[in-house]
């Protein structure tokens, strides 16, 4: 077995999430005022402390975001009772401030009757095309701007179905903290990469040691034959994070595979699922070896670690190249196959995820992640859920969070 190792970098980047965390810090100041409710200050306690308290107070089910309704245009005002603020109303106003084709909108929220001085409500606002968060600490009218609808489809959707609003319990911040274990896996930073390695070590006992140079074996293309297998482990960026979870749920140490094929002229190709096409979709593709290899060496930001596993001569003799090509061509251009993949790990109502992951955490990750990689996250869940439910539905958000 020959191992082709790409260099193993470690960069330290400024962590964007700190900014995200930062938005909760004002709480600390207000938390000093009395009277307060214990769950109000949970977010500012260290997780080791806050989780047991939280579990005692609520139980896991209370951590699920709840759908409070959809804010619709004009006279259809939505009202609901929050966790902190007991009287809330929301309505949607369309505008065309940017003069774009479909215009945008303003979501008006009137928040009042807080049950204590220190509490806050945390909301997720979703359309099939976007997810955003906000939190409210003060009784007053708040607005949330949607400068431009993403497309005619979003415009039409919002006109008829409104903007879905999900309430997260105040204690949900505890879960958000748990996200920091999982969320950084998906960031394309040295921090994300180290998070992946740390996660695999902690949860799978897998250790990573830096190899001596050179990191790329000088393999000759002539030595690669039809049927030879490429086992790939990506540890950085969106694929890195996804592969980490995949490795973990499946127990494998490779998160991705590809197969080599030679055509009748002897030219070497690689059949791979998860190739990004021009429209940004992940599809099954057959690529010339040179192109594939060049990409892996120079352009793949997932820091791939690739092992070439050639077929044993006797097995190679049995490998039916014609049949392999027939199959590869029949799959070329098809979607990546998230449906198969995800449902290899989501196959029961509960108990799908090894701790500390739970369905809710996954939903939350996907929510956050979809802000980073909107089309990717949407594709993944759409494909998977539509396959499972036999539907052609718009959004994973509604399934996961309800
Ligand atoms: C909203 O209600 C007001 C008063 O009831 C009415 O004049 C107005 O036309 C309504 N607007 C829409 C868009 O239905
Ligand atoms: C918004 O304004 C632009 C420019 O005036 C116009 O072309 C577009 O149709 C408007 N969109 C809507 C939804 O009114
Ligand atoms: C790899 O092989 C090629 C051709 O055999 C040779 O020119 C090149 O110097 C080799 N590179 C390394 C790093 O050994
Ligand atoms: C190889 O596959 C082709 C196409 O499926 C089939 O026609 C042929 O008989 C197979 N060859 C052998 C040796 O099994």
């Amino acid at each position: 077995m020959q191992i082709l190792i790409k260099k193993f970098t470690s960069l330290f980047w400024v962590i964007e999430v700190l900014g995200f965390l930062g938005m909760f810090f004002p709480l600390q100041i207000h938390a000093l005022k009395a009277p307060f409710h214990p769950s109000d200050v949970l977010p500012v306690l260290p997780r080791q402390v806050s989780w047991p308290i939280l579990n005692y107070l609520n139980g896991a089910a209370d951590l699920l975001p709840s759908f409070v309704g959809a804010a619709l245009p004009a006279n259809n005002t939505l009202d609901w009772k929050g966790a902190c603020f007991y009287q809330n109303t929301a309505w949607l106003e369309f505008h065309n401030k940017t003069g774009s084709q479909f215009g945008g909108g303003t979501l008006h929220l009137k928040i009042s009757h807080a049950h204590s001085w220190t509490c806050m409500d945390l909301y997720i606002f979703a359309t099939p095309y976007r997810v955003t968060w906000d939190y409210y600490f003060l009784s007053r009218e708040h607005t949330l701007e949607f400068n431009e609808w993403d497309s005619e489809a979003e415009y039409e959707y919002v006109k008829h179905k409104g903007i879905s609003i999900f309430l997260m319990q105040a204690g949900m911040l505890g879960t958000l903290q748990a996200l920091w274990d999982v969320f950084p896996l998906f960031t394309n930073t040295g921090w994300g990469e180290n998070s992946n390695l740390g996660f695999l070590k902690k949860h799978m006992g897998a250790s990573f040691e830096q190899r001596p140079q050179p990191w790329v074996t000088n393999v000759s293309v002539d030595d690669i034959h039809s049927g030879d297998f490429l086992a790939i482990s990506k540890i950085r960026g969106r694929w890195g994070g996804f592969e980490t979870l995949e490795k973990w749920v499946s127990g494998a140490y490779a998160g991705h595979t590809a197969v080599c094929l030679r055509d009748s002229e002897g030219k070497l190709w690689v059949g791979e699922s998860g190739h990004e096409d021009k429209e940004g979709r992940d599809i099954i593709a057959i690529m010339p070896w040179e192109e594939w290899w060049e990409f892996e060496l120079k352009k793949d930001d997932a820091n791939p670690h690739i092992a070439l596993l050639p077929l044993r001569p006797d097995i190679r003799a049995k490998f039916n190249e014609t049949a392999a090509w027939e199959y590869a061509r029949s799959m070329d251009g098809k979607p990546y196959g998230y449906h198969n993949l995800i449902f290899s790990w989501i196959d029961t109502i509960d108990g799908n995820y090894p701790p500390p992951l739970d369905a809710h955490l996954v939903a939350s990750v996907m929510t956050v992640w979809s802000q980073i990689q909107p089309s990717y996250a949407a594709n993944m869940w759409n494909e998977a859920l539509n396959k499972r439910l036999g539907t052609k539905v718009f959004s994973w958000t509604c399934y996961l969070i309800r």
Side-chain angles (χ1 to χ4, degrees):
M1 173 170 108
Q2 280 165 305
I3 309 281
L4 317 171
I5 298 294
K6 243 201 91 190
K7 73 184 155 92
F8 176 74
T9 53
S10 67
L11 294 171
F12 296 93
W13 283 42
V14 177
I15 299 160
E16 283 159 351
V17 166
L18 287 181
F20 183 78
L21 270 179
M23 80 181 194
F24 299 118
F25 289 167
L27 274 176
Q28 259 164 322
I29 302 155
H30 298 278
L32 298 174
K33 291 184 199 164
F36 69 91
H37 191 267
S39 64
D40 299 343
V41 291
L42 282 176
V44 299
L45 297 176
R47 184 170 146 202
Q48 294 82 343
V49 183
S50 65
W51 270 36
I53 298 177
L54 190 65
N55 291 340
Y56 174 72
L57 286 175
N58 293 308
D62 290 348
L63 294 179
L64 288 166
S66 48
F67 178 66
V68 300
L72 287 156
N75 292 343
N76 292 308
T77 299
L78 170 73
D79 50 82
W80 73 95
K81 179 171 178 247
C84 166
F85 293 95
Y86 286 168
Q87 242 176 52
N88 307 282
T89 54
W91 69 98
L92 185 64
E93 179 198 353
F94 281 92
H95 62 61
N96 194 0
K97 289 179 189 162
T98 57
S100 59
Q101 195 178 355
F102 308 111
T106 304
L107 181 65
H108 296 267
L109 294 123
K110 210 164 156 192
I111 309 282
S112 61
H113 292 76
H115 76 76
S116 85
W117 294 10
T118 53
C119 65
M120 62 179 262
D121 276 340
L122 183 61
Y123 288 100
I124 299 175
F125 303 95
T127 77
Y129 306 88
R130 73 180 77 214
V131 182
T132 61
W133 312 76
D134 210 346
Y135 68 100
Y136 301 105
F137 195 74
L138 297 173
S139 288
R140 64 178 178 85
E141 198 180 317
H142 301 267
T143 56
L144 190 69
E145 274 303 325
F146 297 85
N147 291 332
E148 275 177 31
W149 304 120
D150 180 68
S151 55
E152 181 172 9
E154 183 176 36
Y155 175 57
E156 287 299 321
Y157 177 91
V158 173
K159 253 195 330 203
H160 296 113
K161 304 246 168 76
I163 296 192
S164 302
I165 304 179
F166 302 88
L167 169 69
M168 298 166 95
Q169 305 291 330
M172 181 52 203
L173 286 177
T175 298
L176 281 181
Q177 286 173 342
L179 283 178
W180 308 147
D181 247 12
V182 178
F183 174 54
L185 301 178
F186 295 92
T187 63
N188 197 348
T189 59
W191 175 56
E193 182 169 292
N194 288 333
S195 303
N196 277 293
L197 301 187
F199 191 96
L200 292 171
K201 189 174 172 88
K202 183 167 158 199
H203 297 289
M204 287 181 79
S207 59
F208 285 75
E209 281 162 38
Q210 191 167 319
R211 287 169 193 273
Q213 296 258 23
W215 283 322
V216 181
T217 301
N218 206 355
V219 64
S220 162
V221 177
D222 297 339
D223 296 336
I224 306 176
H225 304 273
S226 273
D228 289 356
F229 187 74
L230 296 157
I232 301 151
S233 166
K234 303 193 175 188
I235 56 174
R236 183 172 172 138
R238 63 175 177 130
W239 282 111
F242 190 56
E243 283 199 15
T244 292
L245 294 183
E246 228 178 315
K247 287 168 192 164
W248 181 33
V249 295
S250 66
Y253 290 91
H256 185 61
T257 62
V259 70
C260 302
L261 282 176
R262 276 193 190 279
D263 64 17
S264 50
E265 270 119 55
K267 186 173 156 63
L268 186 62
W269 299 78
V270 176
E272 183 187 35
S273 193
H275 174 75
E276 194 173 318
D277 71 2
K278 288 192 196 82
E279 278 112 63
R281 293 171 309 176
D282 296 308
I283 55 163
I284 296 171
I286 309 170
M287 282 182 291
W289 165 266
E290 291 74 23
E291 193 185 313
W292 187 83
W293 187 229
E294 169 84 4
F295 177 83
E296 293 306 331
L297 281 184
K298 303 205 177 125
K299 296 185 201 133
D300 192 341
D301 58 12
N303 196 358
H305 292 62
I306 304 169
L308 173 65
L309 312 178
L311 286 181
R312 229 169 49 204
D314 58 319
I315 305 289
R316 179 174 297 149
K318 289 186 200 153
F319 186 80
N320 187 336
E321 209 170 63
T322 317
W325 270 109
E326 269 173 20
Y327 181 71
R329 290 204 176 95
S330 76
M331 299 302 287
D332 195 17
K334 292 230 162 88
Y336 173 57
Y338 293 113
H339 43 268
N340 292 327
L341 196 127
I342 290 188
F343 285 109
S344 67
W345 28 300
I346 302 177
D347 49 8
T348 64
I349 290 168
D350 49 24
N352 288 302
Y353 311 97
L357 264 200
D358 60 20
H360 183 249
L361 201 51
V362 171
S364 305
V365 169
M366 297 312 295
T367 307
V368 176
W369 188 17
S370 66
Q371 284 189 292
I372 307 168
Q373 296 280 353
S375 60
Y376 180 66
N379 281 351
M380 181 153 86
W381 293 101
N382 285 353
E383 235 180 70
L385 290 164
N386 284 336
K387 175 84 178 174
R388 169 55 55 103
L389 302 173
T391 52
K392 287 209 161 54
V393 188
F394 40 89
S395 165
W396 55 269
T397 333
C398 301
Y399 297 117
L400 277 180
I401 293 179
R402 269 178 221 226

